[in-house]
Amino acid sequence: MAANVVDKKSIDNAKAKIFAGSKTRGFIILGYAPGSMTNIVLQTQMEDGTVENLVSKLDDSQVQYALIRIPDKKDLTDTVRDVMVAWAGPKVKAVEKSKKKTHTGYMKEVLAPFHADLEAISKANFTEAVLKDRSNPLSGSHVID
């Protein structure tokens, strides 16, 4: 059961708007069209959106994929970090979660390029500090729980 991105042009336009240039914050969220197990659509985008804004848009009853840009520092230089997050809400049934988890690799291709990819299973610890920590290549865990 392969995933299918509906209206890829709108997704590409949203990515270009938020992730091009010198912007230091923003995100897009993709999810499944209502009633579909395979059709993926752009659900929301927010220029200058924070991690807190992103978390407030995640639906506990959905599997969603987000690409977020956050400010970062590297060798005392201000820069950005783009992170792909696969979200599976706690109200998603196990069978649905398993079927849709197979789409994560495809979604990584759709949302590329990014610096790190994470899995999120809880909103409780989903903060900018945790996102920065878990998206670090040397982090032991790439799961926000």
Side-chain angles (χ1 to χ4, degrees), residues 37-64:
M37 292 289 286
T38 58
N39 290 331
I40 297 169
V41 298
L42 177 65
Q43 291 182 331
T44 190
Q45 65 186 46
M46 183 177 276
E47 291 182 56
D48 300 320
T50 64
V51 173
E52 292 76 20
N53 298 136
L54 170 69
V55 171
S56 73
K57 303 285 186 191
L58 295 175
D59 188 327
D60 286 347
S61 63
Q62 290 189 38
V63 172
Q64 295 169 297

Side-chain angles (χ1 to χ4, degrees), residues 79-91:
T79 186
V80 294
R81 187 180 304 186
D82 297 336
V83 182
M84 185 265 195
V85 180
W87 164 255
K91 295 181 181 175

Side-chain angles (χ1 to χ4, degrees), residues 71-143:
D72 198 15
K73 274 201 182 296
K74 184 173 182 176
D75 300 327
L76 302 175
T77 303
D78 290 331
T79 186
V80 294
R81 187 180 304 186
D82 297 336
V83 182
M84 185 265 195
V85 180
W87 164 255
K91 295 181 181 175
V92 178
K93 293 178 182 172
V95 172
E96 179 182 354
K97 201 179 288 191
S98 295
K99 287 180 179 179
K100 290 180 177 177
K101 190 169 183 95
T102 64
H103 300 157
T104 303
Y106 173 65
M107 294 312 299
K108 288 178 184 180
E109 292 175 20
V110 171
L111 294 173
F114 47 81
H115 299 100
D117 62 282
L118 304 176
E119 179 183 353
I121 56 176
S122 172
K123 293 180 185 178
N125 297 318
F126 199 148
T127 64
E128 187 165 318
V130 171
L131 187 70
K132 282 183 181 179
D133 175 64
R134 301 289 162 80
S135 64
N136 184 323
L138 301 177
S139 174
S141 173
H142 297 286
V143 176

